[in-house]
Amino acid sequence: MDAEATYRLYEEGKSKRGQWDDTWDEIAYYVLPSKTGFITEFSPGDRERWAKRFDTTAGQANKTLANHIHMALCSPSQPWFELYYRDHELNKNDDAKEWIEDATERMFSAFNESNFNGQINTLFQNLCAFGTSCLETTFISRPREPFSLVFHNIKLSNCVFDIDQHSRVDTVVQEYETTKRQALQMFPDKQVFKDIKSDSQKVKIIRCTYENDKWDPKKKGAKFMPYIAKWYYEKKELLVEGFYEFPYMIPRFDEVDGEQVYGEGPGILSLADIRSINKAKQLEFRKYEKAIDPPIITTAGGVIGDIHIEASGNTQVRDVRQVAVMPGIDVGVQYSIYKGDELRDAIRKAYKIDELLVPERKCQNPATATEIQIRYEQMQKMMGATVGRIEAELLKPLIQRVFGIMMRHQQFKPVPDEALAAAVDVKYLGPLAKSQLSHDAVAIERALQADQVLGAQDPQAALVLEKEKCARVLYDRDNVPASVIRSEKDVKKLMEAQQ
């Protein structure tokens, strides 16, 4: 893809995205007030940005849902994924199993030592608000710095997407706005910036990343890698990069019928209620203002001098009987409060807050593990399609990308010979994923309890269940490390020795 095609794709993409821009800009204003406006620019701390915001329900609900998704899918406090071999026989091999577990632990440490947790939480906030988000995965590996993963949230207003014949995003055109000084740090040997006099002057650079139709594994060089990125300044090529995996992940909260690129989130679904509650709150404050400092009516010439409405103010009038408070200012206060509560409930329902939060119980013990597990199961039922989409469009390509980066930069132990050409897959271990896999574990635990009762009555009933297989399934569901579990061969040897 040359410069002309890249710039044309970017302009066409912005034009197609135009139907979303105004909506996203309004959502950014009401739901993500601390962030820069989507298409309307605000400087940090701009007072006018807060002037028309009168209710925080949507912002709090958005952050609460994003935090729940973050903790449920990729909590930083515990492993949230596990690598395993597609060849099940390799999963029984001790050396191969220990290597894949060690690789998982190293990846988890690399995630936690990077900026991942902060960036992924921001991504989930954007995903809940806009319905679409974009994360770039890269790394730092320099002589003066140790290897480190780096993640960037890409602002939707600065990029456009294109899809392949399977409706998968395979092209991202991104606009970078940097200073001349930063541009020279990125491209130190380029002379295209020499006409820019000030180091602080803004420079717009375009980067186009796409699937390379000239990919050839037999040839070396960026131009023959599976994915390629080209940098341009004023249609002049600055740099060509190559990638083994697509560096961008573009998850969607919900799919929109007829829309193949962008998704829909709770922020869009509840936008009408968000507008209404802000307007209702604004009118309510005006009503409070009038109740506290009411307007007055009087006859012409009834007031001598100025009206003093400050504390201990003394206003002189000709006849106090001719001065009165404006009637009707206290009408409908209760109704406005009731209507406001109704709108807040509608916003909370769109964000599923009441189903996610365990109700507070005053003077009682905190929620039990069983109650929390039930909450995760409810979350799975409510957000099953969304969770599946996040796993497919975000987590799986993310883990594949990080695994490839770390493998190429020798961040793992040497691979055992038997696993050199093995295909690796991902299993998710977060609380929400565990709730999906807990049903068979619960069934086995119940069967073992029944086995004890029935076995006492009939010895043959105790022979129905294969206890060793039951134990291995339970240990697998509880993610017990393979290093502390005896292999089938070792168990067989122990049994023979006991005989």
Side-chain angles (χ1 to χ4, degrees):
M1 188 180 298
D2 60 11
E4 289 292 338
T6 297
Y7 278 78
R8 183 169 60 252
L9 178 62
Y10 184 60
E11 293 302 323
E12 290 175 354
K14 286 203 301 182
S15 177
K16 292 178 182 178
R17 197 193 62 204
Q19 60 179 332
W20 293 92
D21 283 353
D22 292 335
T23 301
W24 286 340
D25 194 54
E26 192 172 9
I27 290 172
Y29 181 83
Y30 287 121
V31 181
L32 300 171
S34 61
K35 300 183 184 298
T36 308
F38 191 82
I39 55 176
T40 305
E41 293 295 331
F42 293 91
S43 60
D46 193 341
R47 287 181 174 271
E48 188 175 341
R49 178 170 178 76
W50 305 83
K52 297 180 181 179
R53 293 187 67 255
F54 298 93
D55 188 83
T56 61
T57 303
Q60 292 174 351
N62 192 80
K63 184 164 288 189
T64 299
L65 179 58
N67 289 340
H68 270 75
I69 295 176
H70 183 186
M71 293 297 105
L73 294 181
C74 46
S75 171
S77 60
Q78 60 184 353
W80 49 273
F81 67 93
E82 180 184 63
L83 302 178
Y84 69 94
Y85 301 105
R86 291 182 184 175
D87 183 354
H88 295 295
E89 293 302 318
L90 272 178
N91 292 316
K92 299 177 183 178
N93 183 288
D94 292 343
D95 292 338
K97 183 71 174 176
E98 288 184 13
W99 182 87
I100 204 72
E101 283 191 350
D102 180 75
T104 302
E105 292 176 3
R106 289 170 182 257
M107 288 179 64
F108 184 70
S109 298
F111 274 116
N112 283 346
E113 291 169 2
S114 69
N115 64 337
F116 173 75
N117 290 304
Q119 291 295 306
I120 201 68
N121 189 271
T122 302
L123 178 138
F124 286 134
Q125 291 186 46
N126 294 338
L127 185 65
C128 295
F130 304 125
T132 309
S133 54
C134 181
L135 181 73
E136 182 189 7
T137 304
T138 183
F139 63 94
I140 295 175
S141 182
R142 302 170 183 167
R144 293 180 297 174
E145 298 182 61
F147 174 86
S148 176
L149 298 172
V150 180
F151 302 89
H152 300 290
N153 265 294
I154 308 302
K155 194 176 176 183
L156 290 177
S157 59
N158 291 346
C159 60
V160 299
F161 312 129
D162 199 14
I163 57 177
D164 61 13
Q165 69 271 25
H166 302 295
S167 298
R168 297 175 301 188
V169 175
D170 67 343
T171 303
V172 175
V173 185
Q174 182 183 355
E175 182 183 72
Y176 290 81
E177 187 174 66
T178 66
T179 63
K180 175 188 175 181
R181 177 174 174 271
Q182 293 169 334
L184 288 173
Q185 289 174 340
M186 297 168 64
F187 312 100
D189 58 339
K190 298 299 178 182
Q191 301 297 318
V192 295
F193 308 113
K194 62 182 181 180
D195 295 334
I196 304 174
K197 297 181 180 180
S198 174
D199 285 346
S200 61
Q201 185 174 336
K202 294 294 183 181
V203 175
K204 289 187 178 181
I205 301 172
I206 295 291
R207 180 198 192 193
C208 181
T209 307
Y210 58 95
E211 189 172 2
N212 188 9
D213 56 2
K214 297 181 180 179
W215 172 47
D216 189 344
K218 297 179 181 179
K219 295 182 179 180
K220 295 182 179 181
K223 294 183 178 180
F224 301 104
M225 295 178 71
Y227 296 91
I228 193 170
K230 293 183 178 180
W231 297 74
Y232 297 99
Y233 171 66
E234 294 183 346
K235 299 185 179 182
K236 299 174 183 177
E237 187 176 290
L238 300 175
L239 178 67
V240 177
E241 295 178 299
F243 303 96
Y244 287 98
E245 306 89 11
F246 195 54
Y248 295 97
M249 295 86 213
I250 301 98
R252 294 168 294 173
F253 194 93
D254 281 326
E255 291 186 8
V256 180
D257 188 24
E259 172 59 63
Q260 296 179 310
V261 178
Y262 301 106
E264 182 181 66
I268 297 176
L269 183 63
S270 60
L271 184 55
D273 293 319
I274 295 172
R275 292 192 195 108
S276 299
I277 188 62
N278 272 274
K279 189 63 177 179
K281 197 78 173 180
Q282 180 185 15
L283 296 175
E284 189 177 329
F285 283 142
R286 288 178 60 186
K287 191 173 296 183
Y288 292 156
E289 181 183 8
K290 291 180 181 179
I292 296 170
D293 184 13
I296 64 173
I297 55 175
T298 181
T299 59
V303 178
I304 303 174
D306 297 328
I307 297 176
H308 297 276
I309 60 173
E310 69 276 5
S312 302
N314 183 12
T315 301
Q316 297 182 3
V317 298
R318 300 185 187 280
D319 187 351
V320 294
R321 293 172 298 178
Q322 297 177 342
V323 181
V325 175
M326 186 76 72
I329 63 169
D330 59 344
V331 177
V333 173
Q334 293 299 325
Y335 176 77
S336 66
I337 295 175
Y338 168 78
K339 197 64 180 177
D341 290 340
E342 181 181 323
L343 292 169
R344 290 188 192 94
D345 287 341
I347 295 171
R348 290 172 64 87
K349 285 181 180 178
Y351 279 93
K352 301 174 175 58
I353 299 302
D354 294 333
E355 290 86 352
L356 296 177
L357 297 180
V358 177
E360 294 183 3
R361 299 180 295 184
K362 297 181 180 179
C363 302
Q364 294 186 25
N365 294 327
T368 64
T370 302
E371 289 176 316
I372 294 175
Q373 178 65 26
I374 291 173
R375 288 284 167 175
Y376 280 121
E377 291 178 0
Q378 290 177 341
M379 185 177 180
Q380 170 61 28
K381 292 176 182 178
M382 293 182 302
M383 301 183 61
T386 299
V387 170
R389 194 173 296 109
I390 292 174
E391 289 177 350
E393 297 179 349
L394 172 65
L395 298 183
K396 187 172 183 177
L398 171 67
I399 294 171
Q400 290 173 340
R401 168 77 171 148
V402 171
F403 180 82
I405 290 174
M406 295 184 67
M407 178 67 79
R408 289 188 293 273
H409 287 81
Q410 300 178 352
Q411 298 299 306
F412 299 137
K413 291 181 178 179
V415 184
D417 293 339
E418 54 267 32
L420 280 174
V424 176
D425 215 332
V426 183
K427 180 170 65 175
Y428 303 103
L429 306 179
L432 194 57
K434 284 183 179 179
S435 70
Q436 293 176 281
L437 300 174
S438 63
H439 301 293
D440 53 355
V442 171
I444 290 175
E445 290 174 353
R446 291 175 180 172
L448 290 172
Q449 293 175 357
D451 180 75
Q452 292 179 351
V453 176
L454 295 174
Q457 299 175 1
D458 183 358
Q460 290 185 353
L463 301 176
V464 175
L465 285 178
E466 294 191 33
K467 306 298 191 304
E468 182 184 349
K469 288 186 177 180
C470 289
R472 293 189 184 279
V473 171
L474 290 175
Y475 296 155
D476 179 70
R477 296 297 181 265
D478 290 334
N479 305 315
V480 178
S483 57
V484 301
I485 299 176
R486 289 192 179 97
S487 66
E488 294 181 7
K489 292 181 180 179
D490 291 340
V491 172
K492 189 175 181 179
K493 289 179 180 179
L494 286 174
M495 292 179 65
E496 291 176 350
Q498 291 176 357
Q499 294 175 354

